Amino acid sequence: MDVSQVKHIFDGVDKDKDGLIDIRELYAGLKRANHGQFNPETCQLLMGLFDVNEDGCIDVNEFGELLVYVKQWRDTFVLFDVDRTGYINFLQLYRTLKAVNCFLSEQVCRSLVKEFDSRSTHGLGFDDYIRCCATVQSLQKSFSRKQDRTSRASLNLESFMLLVLESRPRPVQTLSFD
């Protein structure tokens, strides 16, 4: 995506024309782009990931990076939603994660779908899929910092809890968008 395309999309999302996109504008834009549905928690996660200076807004450069990130997840979502339901089930999630060298059991993938399925569909819509995969990536990265060369880490309960809590993206702010 070139700079002019990013700027055009940015301008469409920046409703108050202040040169920044706040959480409400981002949510409205993501919701429009996802057929009227977007999980507010996923919006908060994305804002937290791309608001580099932590001012509660993203500028056009941060927005460009966010668009690339969302497009990459969209591409994998479409690739692994082989039945074209618009949802990723646990087996499709298992295959997705395996394809990106994240080897989790089907049981863990079932648990992930259950945890991140905000619509009770027994599958992940695109927005929940992003939130799930970003969380798994974050946990995997944190685990990698703690592991030895055998892909095993020795953790006591406190260390594990801290690892999980520190890995979860922080919410920018708690909002009700609708």
Side-chain angles (χ1 to χ4, degrees), residues 16 33 55 64 67 81 88 113 125-126 153 158 161:
D16 62 8
D55 65 353
L67 286 179
D81 179 21
I88 295 290
V113 168
F126 177 61
E158 183 177 340
M161 297 288 282

Side-chain angles (χ1 to χ4, degrees), residues 49-155:
L49 289 173
F50 291 95
D51 178 16
V52 177
N53 62 0
E54 299 181 7
D55 65 353
C57 296
I58 55 176
D59 62 27
V60 69
N61 296 322
E62 295 164 332
F63 184 72
E65 292 175 21
L66 182 147
L67 286 179
V68 169
Y69 183 82
V70 169
K71 183 184 179 327
Q72 288 170 341
W73 283 123
R74 172 66 74 189
D75 292 346
T76 62
F77 183 88
V78 168
L79 181 66
F80 287 95
D81 179 21
V82 293
D83 54 4
R84 301 295 178 245
T85 61
Y87 294 93
I88 295 290
N89 65 33
F90 82 91
L91 195 52
Q92 292 164 330
L93 180 63
Y94 171 79
R95 291 178 183 137
T96 300
L97 295 174
K98 188 176 175 185
V100 294
N101 294 319
C102 183
F103 301 100
L104 300 174
S105 69
E106 288 181 17
Q107 178 183 1
V108 169
C109 290
R110 270 191 184 96
S111 294
L112 286 167
V113 168
K114 187 176 179 182
E115 172 70 24
F116 289 96
D117 176 13
S118 67
R119 294 178 191 89
S120 301
T121 60
H122 305 290
L124 303 175
F126 177 61
D127 49 344
D128 292 332
Y129 174 78
I130 291 174
R131 194 165 49 95
C132 176
C133 290
T135 300
V136 168
Q137 273 188 329
S138 181
L139 287 169
Q140 187 178 29
K141 199 180 297 184
S142 294
F143 183 81
S144 294
R145 287 193 297 265
K146 300 284 186 191
Q147 77 180 15
D148 60 22
R149 293 179 195 262
T150 64
S151 295
R152 297 186 184 274
S154 297
L155 303 171

Side-chain angles (χ1 to χ4, degrees), residues 13 25-39 42-44 46 63 66-67 70 130:
V13 175
E25 291 169 320
L26 181 62
Y27 176 68
L30 290 168
K31 193 172 171 182
R32 263 192 320 278
N34 197 47
H35 311 292
Q37 296 186 64
F38 210 85
N39 186 322
T42 306
C43 181
Q44 290 177 318
L46 291 171
F63 184 72
L66 182 147
L67 286 179
V70 169
I130 291 174

